[in-house]
Amino acid sequence: MEKVKKRIFCCVFCLILALVCSAAGCGGSNAQAKPKESSASSSSSGGWDNTPKVLIPQASGTDLLGNERLQIDVSNRTEGYIMARYTGPAQKVKFFVVTPDEVRYTYDLPSSETWFTLPLTGGSGSYTLDVREHVEADLYSNLYSQSLDVEIKDEFSPFLYPNQYTWFTEETKAVAKASELTKKAEDGLGAVKEIYDFVIQHVSYDEEKAETVQSGYLPDVDETLASGKGICFDYAALMTAMLRSQGIPTKLEIGYSGEVYHAWISTWLEETGWVDNIIEFDGKNWTLVDPTLAAGNKASAVKKYIGDGSNYTVKYSR
């Protein structure tokens, strides 16, 4: 149990930095591609369709908000996301998204012609979009504010698309790896088991990275896959990308484990059963999965710590 607690504690510094991550370099493009499945055909030998199912955010241009320096495309809000770009002179821009349950998400927008994807993780309801430009020191001026009514067609949509915290495309190697791993899976439970087992066995905790990670850090799922090393944020992002690319709704969650910041995931399956006698899916609720703790720890210790989830408090779902 001490090893489990130590692993969580090592995540504190990196997750605090993660809360102020910039969206630069991790947004969606302005290409008018529609959500689609990968053109790669399924090679599954089990009952599970392991064809990659990569949804691509788009700036359709049919419903726009903003002004001469800020464009917000809300055309696809029913899919659980909006897109934004800032083309003004300010070096720093904060884009606040306040959910219907009044959780305040913060995104950094660089000055760019590129569209960046912002998920609507609070479900259907009234959102507030609040954008501010940096002036000097800690001062920001109001650039734009707007309420936005959202009716999401499928409650799982926000947790199937890529976003700044878990970015992947059809060409992402982690997507191909997830398809390979789930080739013999019989159902969703089997697919989760294969991906979970791979991540906890393949990725080792990077103590040095945890101590030296810089402000603005965002996970690169293919870098984690290639290096086989990462911090809690990397574990969660890699597993999220893999599961989402298999059509399994997954939340990358940031919050408290005990009294410290940590990252883990929650995923949804209609199937019921256990994964490695640690994770129990009941077919009715989101199920907490903590790949960081499972890597290098005994199943009994991980199961005892996760328990009924009372050791975890979600602050943000990405």
Side-chain angles (χ1 to χ4, degrees):
M1 185 60 66
E2 290 302 316
K3 186 175 182 181
V4 172
K5 292 179 179 178
K6 181 177 183 294
R7 180 69 56 82
I8 295 174
F9 184 76
C10 289
C11 296
V12 179
F13 180 63
C14 63
L15 260 297
I16 290 174
L17 294 175
L19 292 178
V20 295
C21 281
S22 168
C26 297
S29 75
N30 56 0
Q32 300 302 300
K34 296 181 179 180
K36 59 182 180 180
E37 292 187 2
S38 170
S39 58
S41 60
S42 171
S43 58
S44 176
S45 59
W48 176 255
D49 177 7
N50 69 328
T51 306
K53 304 164 185 68
V54 179
L55 301 179
I56 304 173
Q58 59 174 325
S60 304
T62 58
D63 195 350
L64 296 173
L65 303 175
N67 52 40
E68 66 278 4
R69 298 197 298 274
L70 174 73
Q71 294 82 49
I72 308 172
D73 191 316
V74 299
S75 307
N76 295 292
R77 60 186 181 274
T78 59
E79 293 295 323
Y81 70 88
I82 60 175
M83 303 191 77
R85 65 180 178 184
Y86 172 78
T87 54
Q91 294 298 308
K92 298 179 182 179
V93 173
K94 298 291 185 183
F95 195 124
F96 301 103
V97 178
V98 183
T99 65
D101 54 354
E102 299 186 350
V103 177
R104 186 181 181 89
Y105 287 78
T106 305
Y107 299 93
D108 293 335
L109 281 184
S111 183
S112 172
E113 293 293 333
T114 299
W115 291 94
F116 295 94
T117 310
L118 310 181
L120 301 173
T121 55
S124 298
S126 180
Y127 286 75
T128 299
L129 312 180
D130 181 10
V131 188
R132 305 181 187 185
E133 289 178 304
H134 182 249
V135 179
E136 61 180 6
D138 295 328
L139 298 178
Y140 284 79
S141 63
N142 295 326
L143 174 61
Y144 184 80
S145 182
Q146 176 72 48
S147 62
L148 179 69
D149 291 330
V150 174
E151 186 66 35
I152 297 178
K153 293 187 298 185
D154 182 345
E155 64 178 302
F156 298 119
S157 291
F159 309 108
L160 288 169
Y161 279 91
N163 60 44
Q164 287 83 357
Y165 283 70
T166 303
W167 186 252
F168 56 94
T169 68
E170 290 180 296
E171 289 72 40
T172 300
K173 293 180 179 178
V175 170
K177 187 64 178 179
S179 180
E180 174 191 329
L181 291 168
T182 57
K183 181 178 180 179
K184 297 182 179 179
E186 291 296 331
D187 53 17
L189 191 67
V192 171
K193 173 179 171 53
E194 294 299 332
I195 291 173
Y196 173 75
D197 285 348
F198 172 79
V199 171
I200 67 173
Q201 293 168 18
H202 176 72
V203 182
S204 59
Y205 194 80
D206 193 335
E207 303 281 356
E208 180 180 356
K209 184 176 183 178
E211 295 175 358
T212 60
V213 65
Q214 298 298 304
S215 178
Y217 174 75
L218 286 169
D220 180 332
V221 296
D222 275 356
E223 192 281 329
T224 303
L225 179 66
S227 68
K229 299 176 67 176
I231 54 179
C232 54
F233 201 8
D234 297 313
Y235 280 86
L238 176 60
M239 196 166 176
T240 298
M242 285 183 155
L243 291 173
R244 287 184 183 179
S245 73
Q246 282 292 298
I248 299 174
T250 304
K251 299 177 180 180
L252 191 162
E253 298 190 318
I254 297 173
Y256 291 95
S257 180
E259 297 180 353
V260 299
Y261 266 123
H262 186 45
W264 63 93
I265 70 171
S266 288
T267 192
W268 180 282
L269 285 178
E270 293 183 357
E271 289 85 3
T272 60
W274 288 88
V275 171
D276 294 351
N277 198 34
I278 298 175
I279 310 157
E280 183 181 15
F281 289 89
D282 62 9
K284 300 178 181 179
N285 301 287
W286 290 90
T287 300
L288 189 154
V289 182
D290 193 337
T292 310
L293 293 188
N297 287 301
K298 292 182 179 180
S300 58
V302 177
K303 182 179 178 181
K304 182 178 179 180
Y305 185 83
I306 293 177
D308 61 1
S310 59
N311 286 322
Y312 296 79
T313 303
V314 178
K315 189 172 179 65
Y316 301 108
S317 292
R318 304 286 188 173

